[in-house]
Structures are given as structure tokens and as C-alpha cells.
Amino acid sequence: DVLEIEFKDAGIDYQREKEYSVNYKGIILPHKFYADFVVFGTIILEIKSVKNIVDEHIAQTLNYLKVVHHRLLWLFHLQMMKE
């Protein structure tokens, strides 16, 4: 939610939770992919709030790039600090 506020305040063009269909060999699969954010219509931002980024997170983001045919995806790692 905070990132969305910052995008709005900065006048950055974005879409939140943009839905993409998955096409496999010409067949649209029932499962959809939802990008956390798409910025400027071409950059996918995938945000992970986990302790560590692992290989599965990287593989997931690479698959997203194949699905949406974009060339750039940023994987952000946000780790909340305990107070």
C-alpha cells in the first residue's frame, strides 16, 4: 500500500495486481498470473516480504517474464524489522 501511495505522489504511471493470462501452446490456462505492480506499462515489480530470497522466487519471476513478454522485472526484497 505504501508503494502505491509513493507512485501516486510521484506521478508514476502504474497498475497494481495486473492480471495476465497464461498461454501454453495456444491454450489459455485457467490459472492467471497477477503482477504486484506494472510500472510505465513495461516494468514488472514483484515484491517479496520474506526473510530470504531463494531460488524458487527467482524461478517464479523468470516464468513471469515468459508469460508477459516483458524484458524487465525487478524483484524487491522487503524484510520487516522487529521493533
Side-chain angles (χ1 to χ4, degrees), residues 44-79:
I44 297 174
L45 300 181
E46 182 65 21
I47 300 167
K48 297 290 184 194
S49 267
V50 294
K51 186 173 182 177
N52 295 305
I53 296 291
V54 295
D55 289 344
E56 288 81 8
H57 295 130
I58 295 168
Q60 179 186 36
T61 57
L62 292 174
N63 284 334
Y64 288 172
L65 282 175
K66 292 176 188 174
V67 167
V68 301
H69 306 291
H70 290 327
R71 292 183 169 245
L72 183 58
L73 186 147
W74 289 344
L75 176 61
F76 282 93
H77 177 227
L78 302 176
Q79 186 175 5

Side-chain angles (χ1 to χ4, degrees), residues 11-54:
I12 294 173
D13 178 42
Y14 75 94
Q15 291 176 282
R16 186 169 185 181
E17 297 181 5
K18 182 174 178 176
E19 179 183 297
Y20 289 94
S21 295
V22 179
N23 184 329
Y24 179 74
K25 295 184 177 182
I27 300 169
I28 302 298
L29 301 180
H31 181 76
K32 308 258 188 239
F33 153 59
Y34 296 88
D36 290 337
F37 288 94
V38 177
V39 183
F40 304 118
T42 59
I43 302 168
I44 297 174
L45 300 181
E46 182 65 21
I47 300 167
K48 297 290 184 194
S49 267
V50 294
K51 186 173 182 177
N52 295 305
I53 296 291
V54 295

